[in-house]
Amino acid sequence: MSDISDTIMNIEIFAFIGILIWLYLKPVSIERPSADSEKAEEDRAESKTE
Amino acid sequence: MTELKENALLVIALLITGGIAAWGILDTAALAATAASMIEAQFASRAWFIMLSVSFMLVVCTWIAFSRHGSLVLGKEGDKPEFSTVSWLSMLFAAGMGVGLLYWGTAEPLTHFLAISKSNVLDNAANGALFLTNFHWGLHAWAIYALTGLVMAYFSFRLDCSYLVGAPIEKVFGHGHLVTSIAWLCNLLAIVAIAIGLGGSVAMGVFQIKDGIDVLFGLQDSGAWLTGTIFVVLCLSFLPPLVMDLARGMAVLSNAAMAIAGGLLVFILLAGPTHFIMGGVVEAVGEYVGGAFVHGFRTLTFMDKFAENWFHSWTLTYMVWWLAWAPFVGVFIARISKGRTIREFILGVVLVPTAFSILWFGVFGSVGFYAALRTDLPILQLVEDQPSAVTFFVLNQFPMPSLTISAVVAAAALFIITSVVSAAFVLGMFSTGGNLNPSSRVKLSWGVVLAALGLVMILSGSIGAIKSIIALGALPFVFIVLLLVVCLLKALKAEGEPV
């Protein structure tokens, strides 16, 4: 009726789902490219085409 | 330190994939048996999780497309799409399905037809068989590609990340030791999954080209020499594009393969029993629209061993197969989608190819059902004995068989060449830390590994063994794609929040 390897493999899945939920709820700060760096990148691209 | 890590990734990835190839060449049976038993254990315990994951991906895709995030542009403000919509759709479809369509067009619906007929599960086996085929190639498959591609496109075009699978993880969760190691591992697993998946595709293409040439020249038993010759010729054709920059040429070849496939579809529709085929297509649309979402949650848990084995070797294998291709196709789709909105991206990637797949299998499947139900042709026997020859058998019943069979052989060769060259590029990029111009030596190394893996799959001789090996290589990607989805959802949530 029960199979230890099956139980372990599924516990791993439950743990993984738990980690995903925890990661989703965990507050993080994502660094976004600033407008200045975008402008600089555009200028670089323009000077390349010239 | 970074350089050492990047080189380590290249070396370890080459060692792992090269090792699998060497093992397979030395003892093909042992590799196939090991892969089959390992994948069986995984499928037996985790089928529910795989089905839940792919259905979850479809739900997430739908939600993102119709949420406020749908109007975000994949790029900077003012970026416009680089390709016309038709060209964009054609390229992404060719990258995502390619040679599989030619191989399975008639063979897959008929295989399910046989299975359903044997188990007496449904009254109408042909309808059920078409539904299952469309389920395997439809919304769920493309949702996997769309989400992976969206993660790549969003993080590279909006957040300036590299095109690496691990890059979004580092961007969202920082550059701590643990996070960097997980990201590195994800890059490695993506490389292994792509290489093994492509190896399988090479083998399938070689089998199909061989069967086409057999039919074309009336060869009864060409045996291993023809398979070997085709393999060598294909490998030699990879070389020039790998050492030269032929990106534009590759796009042309890929579009040519799609044009041949499209022409074939129209030819079969018009030259075949059109009313029967159109009836089949309409049935297929109705069945699919009515049942696809619910079917995504089916695990066949309460059915007998026959149904369980079928479910493992078809539905689950397909789902992990798409996952194996996801990093490769995802990067490709991302690269051609700059300037499109998220909504346009998701609807284009998920809906249009699904509609084309339903049409494709509706046409090719219905022709097969016509042959099986309305004629005495031995097509069902052929499906059991030699699925790779079914497409050619069907074409042989139509006018101008030499022309159409040559076209399929050419399209299969084009699909394989373009896939291997693109995959060698993506593998080169992944294994050198996101370098958009990997050296010819790196691309050539990957070309050799892909060819060796293709040889292993050919030596294994059975499509079942090929499926097990691919599924095993791809399985870790279920976890990686879900992790990437969390990264995307967090980044989208942060859009518009004050910095």
Side-chain angles (χ1 to χ4, degrees), chain B residues 327-412:
Chain B
F328 162 50
V329 180
V331 166
F332 179 78
I333 297 177
R335 285 190 63 179
I336 62 172
S337 302
K338 191 175 184 181
R340 295 192 181 271
T341 65
I342 288 182
R343 185 171 301 123
E344 198 181 358
F345 177 91
I346 292 178
L347 295 181
V349 175
V350 175
L351 292 184
V352 179
T354 298
F356 186 83
S357 293
I358 292 175
L359 186 63
W360 180 272
F361 287 106
V363 170
F364 279 86
S366 297
V367 165
F369 292 133
Y370 189 86
L373 298 170
R374 303 282 168 89
T375 71
D376 297 328
L377 294 168
I379 193 166
L380 291 175
Q381 189 58 45
L382 191 66
V383 167
E384 285 193 303
D385 298 342
Q386 202 181 357
S388 53
V390 173
T391 305
F392 302 114
F393 179 83
V394 168
L395 292 175
N396 228 0
Q397 316 306 320
F398 282 82
M400 300 181 291
S402 305
L403 182 70
T404 51
I405 291 170
S406 307
V408 170
V409 169

Side-chain angles (χ1 to χ4, degrees), chain B residues 20-21 23-25 27-36 453 456 465 468-469 472:
Chain B
I20 295 170
W23 179 18
I25 290 168
D27 194 349
T28 316
L31 174 63
T34 309
L453 285 166
V456 171
S468 301
I469 298 169
L472 195 61

